[in-house]
């Protein structure tokens, strides 16, 4: 399987205009089994109620029929079960699509094949939903661009209801630039039209793709590759007086410019461009601000440099120990407050567990926070989480009994036996340049 996929990579890399018309033969029993095993063990079941373990146990029964239907263009994806989950820090909820386990395995296998082609096409400015390219790569790349390039203005952008606004016709047209296999195209078309099952009611889908499927993120990257990335690289940058750079993580992106005139022109053109493809900017999350070394220089005259947020980090203008311009990364205040609230609620939930169990659960929570926000320069943000957890745990332990007398000295001895993990950086200043992709 790996050797055959490597052939696709070589062909896609050598010929950027090659259209592949025979890809479905890579969908095999081995590919489906790998797709099932790649799913988390506690993954939710779809509308048929089948779990991951059940799919593995009955693999030999359903796999031949599914493969036969795919190759005969008779595979009909089951409806996607819709689940509403709360938006972090908000009262409103967002819809998540949960395909069946078998359908997720098929989607994963197809996405793996298509990614071999499009990974050769995607630009270095694109992050998220791509192999070995995560949020840290996007954050470090944006930091590098602002800190080392001629950047004086930043346009922070967010697309409104992006996954729910994808036009099916444009998705298919973009896909046909590189994929001409009718079996693959038919699969993608049917996934887009599969419909949504909510509380027993089946709703047809004419626009958008449900979040949650393995194929959805890849399709969204393909969509924005043609709508945004190529357009910016081939047309927008050529018309700029100064430098212009784009960093995108799925539907969140930031545009950096040297001149304000370029930034305002790009913002106007961007609104028109997105409207042509049934997309629009979220006004509350889109703003143009002065940011960079020149904003830092002007701040010495009384005005404070503005800040902006990207992927949970707040970008601030600062100076290094050698008095050189530096982009400081801090944990976004909303994300920090959300983490502290979740820690408090978790402590209250497990207050009557044994101290050993509580320590294991709390350390797992704060380690997850450290692993994401532990970038160079953000030690203070990590310390806030550690100190809060240290103090709040004692407060919660005091409520386990009306006669509790857990003094600070006793608590210090308790912490010696059940220590909380201290902050640790995942990437230091010296390591961060290795994540840059521009």
């Amino acid at each position: 399987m790996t050797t055959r996929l490597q052939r696709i990579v070589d062909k896609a890399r050598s010929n950027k205009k090659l259209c592949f018309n025979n890809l479905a033969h890579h969908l095999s029993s081995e590919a489906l089994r790998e797709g099932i095993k790649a799913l988390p063990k506690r993954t939710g079941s779809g509308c048929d109620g089948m779990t991951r373990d059940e799919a593995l146990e009955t693999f030999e029964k359903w796999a031949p029929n599914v493969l036969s239907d795919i190759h005969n263009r008779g595979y009909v994806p089951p409806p996607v079960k819709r689940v509403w989950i709360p938006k972090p820090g908000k009262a409103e909820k967002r819809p998540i699509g949960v395909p069946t386990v078998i359908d997720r395995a098929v989607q994963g296998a197809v996405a793996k094949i298509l990614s071999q082609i499009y990974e050769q096409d995607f630009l270095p400015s694109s992050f998220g939903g791509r192999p070995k390219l995560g949020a840290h790569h996007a954050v470090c790349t944006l930091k590098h661009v602002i800190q080392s390039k001629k950047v004086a203005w930043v346009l922070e952008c967010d697309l409104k209801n992006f996954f729910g606004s994808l036009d099916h016709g444009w998705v298919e047209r973009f896909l046909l630039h590189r994929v001409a296999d009718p079996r693959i195209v038919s699969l993608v078309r049917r996934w887009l039209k599969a419909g949504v099952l909510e509380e027993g009611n089946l709703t047809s889908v004419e626009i958008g793709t449900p979040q949650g499927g393995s194929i959805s993120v890849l399709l969204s990257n393909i969509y924005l590759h043609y709508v945004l990335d190529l357009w910016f690289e081939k047309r927008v940058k050529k018309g700029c007086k100064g430098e212009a750079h784009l960093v995108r993580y799925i539907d969140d992106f930031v545009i950096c410019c040297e001149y304000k005139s370029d930034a305002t022109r790009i913002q106007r053109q961007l609104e028109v461009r997105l409207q042509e493809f049934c997309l629009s900017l979220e006004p509350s999350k889109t703003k143009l601000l002065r940011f960079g070394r020149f904003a830092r220089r002007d701040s010495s005259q009384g005005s404070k440099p503005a800040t902006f947020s990207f992927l949970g980090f707040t970008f601030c203008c600062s100076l290094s120990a050698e008095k050189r311009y530096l982009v400081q990364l801090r944990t976004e205040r909303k994300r920090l407050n959300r983490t502290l609230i979740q820690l408090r609620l978790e402590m209250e939930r497990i207050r009557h567990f044994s101290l050993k169990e509580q320590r294991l659960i709390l350390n797992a929570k704060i380690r997850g926070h450290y692993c994401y926000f532990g970038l160079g320069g953000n030690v203070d943000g990590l310390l806030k989480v550690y100190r809060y957890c240290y103090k709040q745990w004692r407060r919660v332990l005091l409520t386990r009994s009306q006669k509790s007398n857990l003094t600070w000295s006793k608590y210090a001895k308790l912490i010696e036996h059940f220590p909380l993990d201290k902050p640790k950086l995942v990437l230091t200043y010296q390591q961060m340049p290795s994540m840059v992709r521009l």
Side-chain angles (χ1 to χ4, degrees):
M1 181 70 176
T2 305
T3 304
R4 288 182 292 172
L5 291 180
Q6 185 59 43
R7 293 173 185 169
I8 297 177
V9 173
D10 296 337
K11 290 181 179 180
R13 183 181 299 156
S14 61
N15 188 351
K16 296 293 184 179
K17 296 184 178 180
L18 178 63
C19 191
F20 293 82
N21 57 15
N22 190 14
L23 294 172
H25 68 278
H26 292 287
L27 292 173
S28 60
S29 297
E30 178 187 354
L32 292 184
R33 192 183 294 273
E34 288 180 359
I36 293 288
K37 291 182 178 179
L39 298 176
K41 292 185 178 180
R42 296 184 179 180
T43 187
S45 57
C47 60
D48 61 354
M50 180 181 289
T51 64
R52 172 186 177 275
D53 293 338
E54 291 174 349
L56 281 175
E57 292 174 2
T58 60
F59 181 82
E60 300 299 335
K61 295 182 179 179
W62 58 263
N65 295 331
V66 169
L67 289 172
S68 176
D69 290 342
I70 291 173
H71 292 296
N72 293 325
R73 298 175 64 181
Y75 179 76
V76 180
V80 177
K81 184 174 72 173
R82 174 173 287 170
V83 178
W84 293 86
I85 62 173
K87 284 188 175 181
K90 298 182 181 179
E92 58 183 305
K93 297 184 178 181
R94 73 170 68 195
I96 294 293
V98 184
T100 63
V101 173
I102 295 176
D103 195 43
R104 261 178 284 174
V106 179
Q107 288 189 26
V110 173
K112 186 175 182 179
I113 296 170
L114 294 180
S115 66
Q116 310 304 313
I117 301 171
Y118 286 100
E119 279 302 308
Q120 318 312 314
D121 294 350
F122 290 151
L123 302 183
S125 59
S126 169
F127 302 89
R130 297 180 57 188
K132 300 180 182 180
L133 287 179
H136 285 171
H137 293 89
V139 171
C140 293
T141 299
L142 180 58
K143 179 180 183 296
H144 170 77
V145 167
I146 297 174
Q147 194 166 288
S148 63
K149 306 294 183 181
K150 295 179 181 179
V151 174
W153 294 88
V154 168
L155 179 61
E156 181 187 3
C157 304
D158 186 82
L159 296 176
K160 184 177 181 180
N161 188 25
F162 171 64
F163 283 92
S165 303
L166 294 187
D167 183 87
H168 294 178
W170 280 114
V171 171
E172 188 171 338
R173 287 178 65 180
F174 293 149
L175 189 67
L176 288 172
H177 283 308
R178 288 293 250 167
V179 180
D181 190 328
R183 294 163 293 182
I184 299 296
V185 176
S186 174
L187 276 175
V188 172
R189 186 186 299 120
R190 293 183 180 187
W191 277 323
L192 293 173
K193 303 289 186 181
V196 174
L197 186 65
E198 185 177 6
E199 296 180 353
N201 298 320
L202 180 62
T203 305
S204 60
V205 177
E206 299 300 328
I207 191 171
T209 177
Q211 287 181 261
S214 305
I215 201 70
S216 298
V217 176
L218 178 61
L219 293 179
S220 67
N221 270 333
I222 294 173
Y223 201 90
L224 286 180
H225 170 70
Y226 289 103
V227 173
L228 180 64
D229 300 350
L230 285 178
W231 170 75
F232 184 85
E233 189 68 24
K234 302 295 183 181
R235 296 179 56 185
V236 173
K237 291 180 72 173
K238 290 182 178 179
C240 292
K241 297 179 181 178
E243 292 187 13
H245 305 276
L246 168 71
V247 177
R248 177 178 67 83
Y249 186 89
I250 306 181
D251 60 331
D252 294 328
F253 59 96
V254 174
I255 297 174
C256 305
C257 298
E258 184 178 357
Y259 298 112
K260 184 178 181 180
S261 58
D262 288 336
T264 53
R265 179 181 59 84
I266 290 173
Q267 186 173 9
R268 291 194 302 268
Q269 292 179 349
L270 180 62
E271 292 174 353
V272 176
R273 174 73 175 180
L274 293 176
Q275 191 174 6
E276 293 177 5
F277 298 93
C278 306
L279 299 176
S280 62
L281 293 172
E282 177 60 55
S284 61
K285 297 181 181 180
T286 301
K287 60 181 179 180
L288 176 64
L289 53 97
R290 184 167 173 78
F291 193 91
R293 64 180 72 252
F294 305 111
R296 173 70 192 183
R297 180 194 60 193
D298 296 343
S299 67
S300 61
Q301 303 174 2
S303 60
K304 187 177 180 181
T307 63
F308 70 96
S309 297
F310 182 62
L311 301 181
F313 289 91
T314 298
F315 286 67
C316 311
C317 294
S318 182
L319 291 176
S320 66
E322 295 80 16
K323 302 300 180 181
R324 295 179 179 177
Y325 174 69
L326 179 70
V327 176
Q328 184 81 23
L329 297 178
R330 298 176 182 172
T331 307
E332 187 180 3
R333 183 173 298 178
K334 292 181 180 179
R335 297 288 290 268
L336 179 60
N337 292 338
R338 187 194 314 165
T339 298
L340 300 184
I341 292 173
Q342 290 175 349
L343 280 172
R344 177 177 57 81
L345 295 176
E346 187 67 11
M347 290 179 190
E348 293 175 355
R349 184 184 72 84
I350 64 175
R351 75 177 77 192
H352 294 296
F353 288 19
S354 68
L355 293 177
K356 182 179 180 180
E357 291 177 315
Q358 290 189 49
R359 172 185 172 266
L360 291 174
I361 294 174
L362 291 178
N363 279 339
K365 293 285 184 180
I366 61 177
R367 271 200 309 271
H369 184 86
Y370 297 161
C371 287
Y372 185 78
F373 291 100
L375 299 185
N378 194 32
V379 175
D380 290 343
L382 304 185
L383 283 172
K384 288 179 182 179
V385 173
Y386 174 79
R387 290 166 182 162
Y388 177 86
C389 196
Y390 184 91
K391 295 178 181 179
Q392 186 65 29
W393 196 18
R394 176 178 174 271
R395 294 193 187 103
V396 172
L397 292 177
L398 283 171
T399 63
R400 298 215 299 181
S401 170
Q402 294 180 349
K403 299 180 180 180
S404 178
N405 61 343
L406 185 62
T407 61
W408 281 109
S409 58
K410 292 181 179 179
Y411 182 63
K413 293 180 180 179
L414 182 147
I415 288 294
E416 290 180 3
H417 291 87
F418 305 99
L420 295 172
D421 288 347
K422 294 184 178 181
K424 183 179 180 182
L425 293 178
V426 179
L427 290 171
T428 63
Y429 274 127
Q430 293 74 21
Q431 294 170 328
M432 289 172 68
S434 65
M435 309 291 282
V436 175
R437 287 295 178 269
L438 283 181

